[in-house]
Amino acid sequence: MTAPYTHLVPSVRSLRPSATLAINERSNALKDEGREVFKLGLGQSPFPVPETVRASLERHAGEKDYLPVRGLPALRHAIKEWHHRRDGIDAMDRHVIVGPGSKELLFILQLVHDSRLTIPSPSWVSYAPQAQILEKDVDWVETQFDNGWNLTAEALENVCKQDPTQPRLLILNYPNNPTGMSYSADALSAIARVARAYRVVIISDEIYGEVDHGHGHTSMAEFYPEGTIVSSGLSKWCGAGGWRLGYCIFPDALKPLADAMAAVASETFTSVSAPIQYAAVEAFLDTPSIQQYLHNSRRILGALGNWIGQRLTQAGLRVHTPQGGFYIFPDFEPLRKKLAKRGVYTSAALTEVILDETGVACLPGVCFGRRADELTVRLSFVDFDGTRALQYLGSISSSKSLSQDDIQRLCPPTVTAIQRLAEWCEALV
Ligand code: PLP
């Protein structure tokens, strides 16, 4: 017998491509077969990169040199200023590290910090697999529907108490993927008290902070400045997921972590693409056109999220209306008996039957750390033409609240997808 060529390290043997990418591929395959598919699986911004930022990329296409590992100085400065203005974060340029998407930076942070990963359930799909690759232990902390699926200070303390001297890395994400929910200042302050008491390092993943629908985002760094690393990027608020630009802001107390990260970055990705970094400076200048773009993005997402929350509640689901971002996390538990008659007992089976019978692609709650037999799913309400929607808003008063008619006009096919899903729920016997 000949020896195999490949010898995978144990930690990646059971890894599969990220669930969000897999659903996208499956939806594309169904489309290729001629089926109508609504892509509510992948969490990609529906909006275009703002015109001024695109123009800046064109102007800088000739930039070809390697840039400093931690990022272009002008960009680090612009990011620091942006967060100072918006979140009151008191940082210096040297506290910012720029990377090729925040996903990569989160991975490197997990790599350099010798700790257990602590994450609420549900959480974004990639935190736990990253820990798995690194053979890090993960503590999932349970949350409840009634708390908006949010981590509570008590639940965090219960985990920390079990081993008070264990170094921990907590990743808190809000507005949240997959739930669409955010944290109040009181809730953040209570979590900060526990984190400080147990010296927990928090990565505050605030990548949806700019698309908080009510414009009420508050950074964790305000409550726990010495122990919080703020993580964000261009992907979600600037329509630029494919540009791959993310960053972290470190406090002085965590300088050794930042230095170790920069060392790993220098041996791996080296630096983010130069034209992208030069162009990104424009995005963080807070010009009136960027402010208008954000204002209108929030108006559309807020009105659409509201309508979806109402429609799914009417269809009998347990659901919170999202407070930010572009996700909603309905629980089909009230329909459990009817679904059982159809042989559906898990969130994975539920998303399959929904895709087959309505054409709506979405992700099962199990991908986000929920129990397999719970009937939660994540819907990304991004299947619409964001360029057209923003153009329309540009033609009406910026204070007019959007009606259901506006939403229907602006956001097909998402509206059609939600109607189909709601009617499917209503027709179950
Ligand atoms: N954090 C959350 C919660 C996300 O939803 C995503 C992307 O889906 C990321 C981080 C990573 O974003 P990027 O690597 O594009 O900066």
Side-chain angles (χ1 to χ4, degrees), residues 83-128:
H83 283 279
H84 183 66
R85 277 191 306 270
R86 288 168 179 257
D87 306 310
I89 295 179
D90 200 13
M92 316 277 270
D93 299 0
R94 64 183 160 80
H95 294 127
V96 179
I97 293 188
V98 176
S102 62
K103 191 189 244 183
E104 183 66 21
L105 294 177
L106 293 170
F107 180 72
I108 297 179
L109 257 171
Q110 288 210 52
L111 174 86
V112 299
H113 192 234
D114 189 3
S115 58
R116 288 178 79 88
L117 175 66
T118 306
I119 42 177
S121 159
S123 269
W124 178 48
V125 286
S126 291
Y127 304 137

Side-chain angles (χ1 to χ4, degrees), residues 20 43-44 100-106 124-125 127 173-178 205-208 231-236 240-242 244-247 326-327 378:
T20 40
Q44 167 153 289
S102 62
K103 191 189 244 183
E104 183 66 21
L105 294 177
L106 293 170
W124 178 48
V125 286
Y127 304 137
N173 162 234
Y174 65 96
N176 186 264
N177 174 6
D205 182 348
E206 301 182 22
I207 195 155
Y208 297 95
S231 166
S232 188
L234 282 189
S235 301
K236 308 299 175 178
R244 310 310 300 128
L245 189 123
Y247 56 86
F326 29 75
Y327 307 105
R378 186 196 79 176

Side-chain angles (χ1 to χ4, degrees), residues 24-81:
N24 198 37
E25 279 168 22
R26 196 176 139 93
S27 308
N28 284 337
L30 284 176
K31 266 194 168 167
D32 290 346
E33 286 169 20
R35 297 266 312 272
E36 187 177 22
V37 174
F38 301 93
K39 287 176 143 187
L40 272 50
L42 184 69
Q44 167 153 289
S45 166
F47 301 114
V49 177
E51 224 167 277
T52 51
V53 183
R54 282 205 311 265
S56 177
L57 181 60
E58 281 172 26
R59 283 199 305 279
H60 291 105
E63 296 294 344
K64 60 167 197 50
D65 291 342
Y66 289 116
L67 291 178
V69 171
R70 294 180 195 231
L72 179 71
L75 177 59
R76 295 168 77 199
H77 179 72
I79 290 171
K80 185 261 313 200
E81 291 284 306

Side-chain angles (χ1 to χ4, degrees), residues 44-306:
Q44 167 153 289
S45 166
F47 301 114
V49 177
E51 224 167 277
T52 51
V53 183
R54 282 205 311 265
S56 177
L57 181 60
E58 281 172 26
R59 283 199 305 279
H60 291 105
E63 296 294 344
K64 60 167 197 50
D65 291 342
Y66 289 116
L67 291 178
V69 171
R70 294 180 195 231
L72 179 71
L75 177 59
R76 295 168 77 199
H77 179 72
I79 290 171
K80 185 261 313 200
E81 291 284 306
W82 172 275
H83 283 279
H84 183 66
R85 277 191 306 270
R86 288 168 179 257
D87 306 310
I89 295 179
D90 200 13
M92 316 277 270
D93 299 0
R94 64 183 160 80
H95 294 127
V96 179
I97 293 188
V98 176
S102 62
K103 191 189 244 183
E104 183 66 21
L105 294 177
L106 293 170
F107 180 72
I108 297 179
L109 257 171
Q110 288 210 52
L111 174 86
V112 299
H113 192 234
D114 189 3
S115 58
R116 288 178 79 88
L117 175 66
T118 306
I119 42 177
S121 159
S123 269
W124 178 48
V125 286
S126 291
Y127 304 137
Q130 290 189 345
Q132 182 192 335
I133 294 169
L134 297 165
E135 299 185 318
K136 266 174 116 72
D137 295 316
V138 181
D139 292 311
W140 285 94
V141 190
E142 189 51 31
T143 67
Q144 268 81 42
F145 175 85
D146 291 340
N147 284 329
W149 305 111
N150 278 349
L151 178 74
T152 61
E154 294 73 34
L156 177 62
E157 178 140 40
N158 285 338
V159 174
C160 294
K161 258 192 332 214
Q162 285 166 21
D163 192 354
T165 56
Q166 166 67 49
R168 290 185 183 281
L169 184 64
L170 167 69
I171 308 187
L172 205 62
N173 162 234
Y174 65 96
N176 186 264
N177 174 6
T179 68
M181 302 301 283
S182 205
Y183 284 78
S184 67
D186 285 348
L188 293 175
S189 153
I191 290 171
R193 267 198 304 277
V194 176
R196 184 171 288 121
Y198 293 90
R199 301 183 70 76
V200 175
V201 172
I202 298 185
I203 298 179
S204 193
D205 182 348
E206 301 182 22
I207 195 155
Y208 297 95
E210 293 300 337
V211 278
D212 178 295
H213 302 164
H215 198 20
H217 182 75
T218 312
S219 177
M220 185 49 146
E222 188 179 313
F223 303 96
Y224 186 37
E226 73 279 24
T228 300
I229 301 162
V230 174
S231 166
S232 188
L234 282 189
S235 301
K236 308 299 175 178
W237 71 262
C238 196
W243 283 30
R244 310 310 300 128
L245 189 123
Y247 56 86
C248 287
I249 307 175
F250 289 81
D252 264 332
L254 300 180
K255 183 174 180 300
L257 273 181
D259 292 347
M261 254 185 94
V264 173
S266 76
E267 302 294 3
T268 52
F269 65 78
T270 304
S271 60
V272 174
S273 150
I276 295 292
Q277 291 203 57
Y278 280 95
V281 175
E282 183 73 34
F284 291 103
L285 292 184
D286 236 347
T287 55
S289 72
I290 292 284
Q291 284 168 15
Q292 188 65 22
Y293 168 92
L294 273 172
H295 175 68
N296 285 339
S297 303
R298 290 184 200 119
R299 278 168 84 198
I300 296 166
L301 294 174
L304 181 57
N306 253 325

